Amino acid sequence: MDTLSMSNCKLSIQGINKQYKNNKAIALDNVSVDVMEGEFLSILGPSGCGKTTLLRIIAGLLQPDSGKLLLDGKDITDAPPAKRSLGIVFQNYALFENMTVLENVTYAAYLKAKREKSATKEEITARAMELLRELGIADYAKKYPAALSGGQMQRVAIARTLILNPDIMLFDEPASALDVATRLQLRTVIKDIQAKFGTTMIYITHDQEEAFAMSDRIMVMETAKISQIGTPSEIVSAPANDYVKSFVVDNLQTKIDSLNRALGKSV
Ligand SMILES: Nc1ncnc2c1ncn2[C@@H]1O[C@H](COP(=O)(O)OP(=O)(O)OP(=O)(O)O)[C@@H](O)[C@H]1O
Ligand SMILES: [Mg+2]
């Protein structure tokens, strides 16, 4: 935590409020957090608490009613998604079904390179193949998404984001549709990327254990609001209120207790 607290603020989220037009409930109520350069921040909260709403606002897919976003100190609150240098990986992968794995990964990168005259198609294809190799799915380059498992599709979605060299990668419950073993593999893939590229990551989950295993800091949300932001050990040792204690700490304890019971029986 010391290195993080001394490093730069990458994304400053300041006083974000959001209410959907057709909905009486407030989706986000004065949400503020500074995400540090290279940090892995999880957003942990139950269904409907506003996690996806916040991610969509960060990505520029949705406008807040009020509040500001600063990326490297620059106000990006009104910037279109393409101008934000953020990559987003969704739960449902959102791959192009009519394109091969390789085409999925190169498509946006090629358009960007053409616009910016920054790389040739060959260079982008080579970079895509390198990423597919690093993510362990090079053998699937010529296949279509329908032929892939959920874990493989998620790796394609990650490669497609990574090739654009985003400043921040945003993940919206990328593991929630996967079986336990594949989820664990995906964790390693994501943490390896973070270690290799130093990418700042914001990771949505409703899984306490996942948040604790992966994060530098966890932002715990209750309906529309932040309950606590802290390192895993800060949250366990000093939950901010009864909600954090029951939703996070007690839930984790219950899982550990079941595991211990199971181990006790099998010994
Ligand atoms: N397009 C929309 N129109 C109206 N209300 C919406 C819309 N999208 C979300 N909401 C409401 O805003 C609140 C926050 O929703 P959001 O999708 O951000 O929650 P979430 O934490 O991502 O939940 P989940 O874990 O189920 O994905 C909820 O009350 C939801 O019903
Ligand atoms: Mg959501």
Side-chain angles (χ1 to χ4, degrees), residues 20-23 25-27 45-54 91 172-173 204 206:
Y20 290 98
K21 291 223 159 43
N22 52 350
N23 194 329
I26 290 170
S47 186
C49 74
K51 304 182 296 296
T52 297
T53 303
L54 181 58
Q91 174 182 9
D172 194 350
E173 310 224 19
I204 287 185
H206 60 252

Side-chain angles (χ1 to χ4, degrees), residues 14-266:
Q14 303 183 348
I16 297 288
N17 291 294
K18 179 69 188 177
Q19 181 170 20
Y20 290 98
K21 291 223 159 43
N22 52 350
N23 194 329
K24 268 193 281 171
I26 290 170
L28 293 173
D29 184 359
N30 195 22
V31 168
S32 300
V33 57
D34 281 350
V35 188
M36 299 299 150
E37 176 113 53
E39 175 170 31
F40 193 108
L41 178 84
S42 286
I43 302 177
L44 173 67
S47 186
C49 74
K51 304 182 296 296
T52 297
T53 303
L54 181 58
L55 209 71
R56 289 171 60 83
I57 288 174
I58 295 171
L61 303 170
L62 193 68
Q63 273 301 114
D65 298 335
S66 59
K68 269 202 294 193
L69 295 171
L70 306 184
L71 180 67
D72 293 322
K74 277 202 300 270
D75 193 330
I76 56 154
T77 318
D78 299 318
K83 290 267 149 63
R84 297 188 179 206
S85 188
L86 308 177
I88 185 161
V89 177
F90 295 99
Q91 174 182 9
N92 60 2
Y93 327 121
L95 299 179
F96 304 116
E97 290 296 325
N98 59 337
M99 292 185 194
T100 65
V101 163
L102 184 61
E103 288 163 350
N104 263 282
V105 177
T106 55
Y107 181 72
Y110 180 51
L111 289 182
K112 183 175 174 226
K114 209 163 132 183
R115 207 169 48 236
E116 297 174 356
K117 299 192 175 35
S118 54
T120 64
K121 196 165 189 176
E122 289 69 30
E123 284 166 344
I124 287 168
T125 303
R127 173 85 184 110
M129 284 308 301
E130 190 187 317
L131 282 174
L132 291 177
R133 267 194 296 279
E134 281 171 14
L135 294 171
I137 46 170
D139 291 350
Y140 295 85
K142 298 271 165 58
K143 296 231 181 338
Y144 287 84
L148 269 55
S149 71
Q152 291 163 342
M153 282 197 255
Q154 202 52 286
R155 286 169 199 234
V156 178
I158 290 170
R160 187 176 61 172
T161 306
L162 211 48
I163 198 169
L164 298 169
N165 295 321
D167 278 355
I168 305 182
M169 284 181 82
L170 310 170
F171 297 89
D172 194 350
E173 310 224 19
S176 60
L178 306 174
D179 62 75
V180 176
T182 313
R183 286 177 84 124
L184 292 176
Q185 279 173 7
L186 189 67
R187 272 188 203 174
T188 312
V189 167
I190 292 172
K191 291 299 286 184
D192 284 353
I193 292 169
Q194 196 206 12
K196 184 160 178 208
F197 298 97
T199 315
T200 307
M201 294 186 168
I202 303 178
Y203 188 96
I204 287 185
T205 181
H206 60 252
D207 182 328
Q208 294 84 356
E209 200 260 322
E210 189 164 82
F212 272 74
M214 297 181 80
S215 312
D216 295 310
R217 285 189 305 161
I218 302 170
M219 170 173 138
V220 184
M221 288 186 75
E222 201 176 350
T223 318
K225 285 192 173 161
I226 298 177
S227 304
Q228 185 169 10
I229 304 173
T231 63
S233 72
E234 282 165 358
I235 290 174
V236 171
S237 57
N241 53 36
D242 287 349
Y243 166 75
V244 177
K245 185 175 178 315
S246 69
F247 177 68
V248 185
V249 184
D250 294 350
N251 267 326
L252 274 174
Q253 189 63 55
T254 306
K255 283 190 186 174
I256 293 167
D257 290 347
S258 343
L259 185 64
N260 280 337
R261 261 198 311 281
L263 285 171
K265 272 181 198 158
S266 65

